[in-house]
Amino acid sequence: MAGKIKLIPNANLDHIIPSDSLLTTTDYLSDKVSDEVQYHKKEYLDFKDFQPDFSGFSIWDRFRKPEFQRQTNSWTDEKYINLLKTLKNNQVIPGVIFWLNPETGHIFVLDGAHRLSAIRGWITNDWGDSDEAKEYGYLEEDEIRASARLRQSVKDSIGDFEECRKAISKFKKIVDQKKNPKEELDPKIEEMGRFMYHLNTSLKVPIQWVTGGYQDAEQSFVNINTGGTPLSTEEALFIENRRSPVARAMAGIISNGSKPSLWIDHGEKCTKLSQTLYKLLLAPSDNIPSKIKVSDYPLILLKKQNSYDRYQFLQYLFCIIKHGQTGDNNITETLKHLANESNDEVVADATLDELERTLYHITSLIGNSPQSLGVLPVFYFYSSKGQYSNLLFFSFLMWLFKGTEKEILNRKLEFTLHRSYFEEMWILIKDHVIKHLGRKGGPSRLSKNQAELFNSLIECIKKCKVSNMSPDEAVEIFLKDLDSKAYSEYLKKKNESGKPFSQFSSNTKIQQEVAAYFEGSYKCELCKGAIDLGVSQQFDHIELRSLGGTNSINNGRVVHPWCNNHRDKLPKSRYTTSNPIDPPQIEPKPDLVYNQVEFNF
């Protein structure tokens, strides 16, 4: 049984007007003025502008959306049909706002991309499932189904363009014969023919040009989107501070390192870091099928269709790495830091630093780098029903990286000493932890205190080990102290007997599969925690190679990377239930500093 990913079932027309950076130069502070607008004099788009032109010189070849604009997929079928009905009724289409990039000649649609894409989509019969759409970007199955559904809805309500084109031939022939089309033609044919007969003159979309430079265009976009369908506070915050190191790093990761204009310096390093972080954080959401096996659950799984999800996720991530928590003030400070810095070298160095620091944090969780704990994502950051949880991911990250470097390393050691017991408890309590954290506020309001639940969990484990209690028994003690409501929910769920003569629900099947996968997973021979084989592992010599240990299979074992690199701090006696003593304090090693992170995946 596979986990189902719920997506917004709207058609995606993002390919009709592709996204691009407003600027092409590396200097975001230079602001060339778009004086060329005065020479264009185009005041509206008409019917011929929307028709296909394969010459390569049409206005559509020059259209772009700002890269920070949301995907063209937020309209419902009803909104598309209402726009086309406006055309059909010879009513005015609201104007659009353009800005001309003086270097590339691209015409950026600051407002009206959805309207233009809808009209173009109808004329070209491209509702998001064309070869061009598939070439532009990955399409989920739900998006393809939404395209077919929208096409049929338009056909039923308006008529597709090809039908209307045929209808106008019949309509025009009757008119030329000085006959009344309403009397001579089928009502639907007459209606479509009349629509097309007038479309050539009625379709005029007014254009307003933004004069000035990049900053004027950017500010215009912000102003436009704080009315009507507004930007969220976080979206506006990102746009207003997109020259900052964190904003550059975010944009670089989201673009998979494909926008060199973001980097003032260190271009090769920043591109490589961005590509690596994209692969770890965002690529799975762009390429995952609608059904996935439990063994294939990635570290992060975001909803692709809501494109700002990834900006929001990265805002929280960078904020947690910088401040150890989220919150409006911290998110604002994270994005605003050095946004108006005039020293390019300072901004360039800070951008590189943000990317390196972020990669170090992520590769402390997964991968084969020495600092990697090698956590298995489906156990740690997904609910028992297979739903990814930002709350679990961020709270664990907050806890793991709290304090000084020495404190972090000792926390990793203590976690490792109790990891097997921790995982057995975590499987049982994580759903209740999600609800507990959710009652305190979402990912935008995570505080350091909320991450303390992991310290409480470790302390609970240590006490329960002393008393020779099982993980099942420890769960009740922990939840009772954590949250009375969570404890009650746990007891209720534990005592549920189910319905007789009933089939297992899909959620129950997923829970059973996750539980079976955990029980059957390979365990690290040092800490006894689950290993993500093929993703986060190293091969350890049981008898050290430096002491003459051989390369025989009998002298090898599969372990977590972090366990392998700290095996001298993990004597076997410390793993036993009867001896849960505290770990020794260790000093950080130079090779674990984040700016020396290895790229080893």
Side-chain angles (χ1 to χ4, degrees):
M1 174 56 59
K4 293 184 179 179
I5 303 167
K6 296 181 180 179
L7 299 173
I8 302 170
N10 290 338
N12 189 338
L13 305 189
D14 209 43
H15 67 288
I16 292 182
I17 302 177
S19 298
D20 204 351
S21 174
L22 286 174
L23 280 187
T24 57
T25 62
T26 57
D27 186 0
Y28 271 53
L29 293 178
S30 66
D31 197 24
K32 296 187 178 181
V33 177
S34 184
D35 292 327
E36 290 184 39
V37 170
Q38 61 183 310
Y39 303 115
H40 288 261
K41 305 295 185 185
K42 190 170 181 65
E43 297 179 352
Y44 54 83
L45 297 172
D46 57 26
F47 179 65
K48 67 177 182 297
D49 291 319
F50 289 91
Q51 297 193 72
D53 182 341
F54 302 105
S55 67
F57 300 106
S58 74
I59 193 169
W60 278 93
D61 295 307
R62 301 173 63 190
F63 280 163
R64 297 292 186 274
K65 293 191 300 285
E67 62 184 346
F68 43 78
Q69 192 169 23
R70 281 172 272 192
Q71 281 187 310
T72 313
N73 63 358
S74 62
W75 276 22
T76 62
D77 293 3
E78 184 180 9
K79 291 196 73 170
Y80 285 110
I81 291 169
N82 285 342
L83 178 73
L84 294 176
K85 283 182 177 179
T86 300
L87 275 181
K88 189 174 182 179
N89 296 330
N90 295 320
Q91 296 171 341
V92 175
I93 299 293
V96 294
I97 300 178
F98 291 168
W99 176 74
L100 176 69
N101 184 306
E103 292 188 1
T104 64
H106 287 155
I107 298 171
F108 283 88
V109 183
L110 303 183
D111 185 49
H114 253 112
R115 297 192 292 276
L116 300 185
S117 298
I119 298 171
R120 174 79 165 186
W122 175 66
I123 290 175
T124 60
N125 194 32
D126 184 353
W127 294 111
D129 53 359
S130 64
D131 290 340
E132 182 182 357
K134 294 173 183 176
E135 184 178 349
Y136 180 76
Y138 174 77
L139 292 175
E140 283 112 347
E141 293 177 11
D142 278 0
E143 290 176 318
I144 295 174
R145 286 193 291 269
S147 299
R149 184 195 66 229
L150 176 57
R151 180 178 289 106
Q152 188 61 48
S153 296
V154 169
K155 182 180 178 69
D156 294 341
S157 302
I158 306 294
D160 63 39
F161 183 77
E162 184 61 23
E163 285 180 319
C164 292
R165 190 185 64 80
K166 292 178 180 178
I168 194 178
S169 297
K170 297 178 181 180
F171 185 94
K172 186 175 182 299
K173 183 177 180 180
I174 297 298
V175 170
D176 290 345
Q177 294 173 355
K178 303 186 185 306
K179 296 179 181 179
N180 186 345
K182 286 189 177 183
E183 296 175 354
E184 300 292 330
L185 296 174
D186 175 85
K188 187 173 181 179
I189 298 296
E190 188 276 334
E191 186 178 25
M192 289 190 294
R194 186 176 298 276
F195 170 31
M196 288 294 290
Y197 195 69
H198 295 293
L199 190 63
N200 193 36
T201 53
S202 65
L203 177 51
K204 291 185 183 297
V205 181
I207 300 172
Q208 178 182 341
W209 291 92
V210 171
T211 57
Y214 162 78
Q215 293 186 32
D216 296 297
E218 182 185 80
Q219 191 58 49
S220 295
F221 179 82
V222 174
N223 293 341
I224 291 162
N225 286 278
T226 52
T229 304
L231 294 167
S232 68
T233 301
E234 290 167 333
E235 287 175 298
L237 181 68
F238 172 79
I239 294 169
E240 291 168 357
N241 296 284
R242 60 194 302 270
R243 297 178 184 84
S244 73
V246 166
R248 291 171 186 268
M250 287 171 54
I253 296 168
I254 289 168
S255 69
N256 192 15
S258 65
K259 296 191 180 299
S261 60
L262 294 166
W263 321 127
I264 297 174
D265 199 358
H266 314 301
E268 185 176 345
K269 289 183 179 179
C270 288
T271 295
K272 183 178 181 181
L273 286 162
S274 297
Q275 291 171 339
T276 303
L277 285 165
Y278 172 82
K279 177 181 177 182
L280 292 172
L281 299 174
L282 303 180
S285 299
D286 285 345
N287 299 288
I288 207 156
S290 61
K291 294 183 178 181
I292 53 176
K293 296 185 294 185
V294 167
S295 58
D296 293 335
Y297 276 57
L299 176 66
I300 305 296
L301 190 58
L302 305 177
K303 292 181 179 179
K304 174 180 178 288
Q305 279 202 312
N306 185 359
S307 63
Y308 199 75
D309 273 6
R310 57 195 57 210
Y311 283 93
Q312 192 175 60
F313 169 81
L314 291 176
Q315 281 185 20
Y316 298 155
L317 177 61
F318 279 95
C319 184
I320 286 170
I321 291 172
K322 185 176 181 64
H323 295 284
Q325 59 186 358
T326 56
D328 291 344
N329 291 339
N330 291 322
I331 293 171
T332 299
E333 197 281 329
T334 299
L335 276 170
K336 282 190 171 182
H337 182 61
L338 298 179
N340 298 314
E341 174 60 54
S342 59
N343 188 324
D344 285 353
E345 186 176 348
V346 170
V347 176
D349 291 346
T351 303
L352 177 62
D353 182 68
E354 295 289 355
L355 289 166
E356 288 180 331
R357 196 197 326 263
T358 301
L359 183 60
Y360 175 77
H361 279 66
I362 298 304
T363 54
S364 291
L365 300 178
I366 61 170
N368 296 326
S369 298
Q371 71 272 13
S372 173
L373 292 174
V375 301
L376 225 165
V378 69
F379 299 156
Y380 280 78
F381 309 130
Y382 289 76
S383 73
S384 62
K385 297 177 181 178
Q387 298 296 317
Y388 168 73
S389 171
N390 268 336
L391 287 170
L392 295 183
F393 175 76
F394 287 135
S395 59
F396 186 82
L397 197 68
M398 286 163 55
W399 169 72
L400 189 65
F401 284 96
K402 180 181 178 181
T404 65
E405 189 175 341
K406 181 178 178 180
E407 290 171 333
I408 293 167
L409 288 173
N410 282 298
R411 186 174 299 113
K412 282 186 174 182
L413 176 59
E414 185 167 46
F415 170 74
T416 301
L417 292 176
H418 305 293
R419 180 166 178 168
S420 176
Y421 201 103
F422 174 97
E423 290 183 347
E424 290 189 54
M425 286 186 68
W426 191 245
I427 288 291
L428 299 174
I429 68 172
K430 60 183 179 179
D431 287 356
H432 305 288
V433 170
I434 292 172
K435 292 181 179 179
H436 169 75
L437 293 174
R439 286 192 283 269
K440 303 290 184 179
S444 64
R445 297 176 61 84
L446 282 171
S447 69
K448 294 178 182 179
N449 290 335
Q450 288 167 275
E452 283 298 310
L453 71 87
F454 290 97
N455 283 334
S456 300
L457 181 55
I458 294 295
E459 289 303 313
C460 177
I461 290 171
K462 290 159 66 174
K463 291 177 182 178
C464 290
K465 279 185 173 182
V466 170
S467 302
N468 291 316
M469 297 176 67
S470 69
D472 285 2
E473 294 172 312
V475 164
E476 292 196 22
I477 293 174
F478 174 73
L479 288 178
K480 191 173 183 179
D481 290 339
L482 175 71
D483 186 328
S484 60
K485 189 170 183 179
Y487 177 60
S488 298
E489 290 170 346
Y490 170 76
L491 291 179
K492 180 180 179 181
K493 183 177 179 181
K494 180 180 179 181
N495 295 322
E496 282 181 351
S497 57
K499 298 178 181 179
F501 307 108
S502 298
Q503 293 183 332
F504 291 118
S505 68
S506 58
N507 284 335
T508 300
K509 291 178 181 179
I510 293 171
Q511 288 176 283
Q512 291 173 332
E513 186 176 2
V514 171
Y517 184 53
F518 175 72
E519 290 298 324
S521 63
Y522 188 86
K523 303 300 191 293
C524 171
E525 294 192 37
L526 288 173
C527 76
K528 309 305 178 185
I531 287 183
D532 197 359
L533 288 176
V535 177
S536 302
Q537 66 188 37
Q538 287 187 1
F539 299 94
D540 179 42
H541 287 73
I542 297 173
E543 181 182 356
L544 292 174
R545 186 176 59 170
S546 60
L547 298 179
T550 72
N551 61 356
S552 164
I553 190 172
N554 295 322
N555 191 47
R557 55 188 174 186
V558 181
V559 297
H560 295 119
W562 199 88
C563 295
N564 188 32
N565 286 275
H566 296 82
R567 58 175 281 180
D568 58 319
K569 304 296 191 300
L570 303 172
K572 287 184 178 180
S573 62
R574 298 184 183 275
Y575 306 140
T576 63
T577 301
S578 59
N579 188 25
I581 61 177
D582 292 328
Q585 297 295 296
I586 60 174
E587 296 293 334
K589 297 179 181 179
D591 64 349
L592 293 180
V593 178
Y594 69 80
N595 60 10
Q596 297 178 17
V597 66
E598 296 183 18
F599 297 89
N600 183 19
F601 301 100

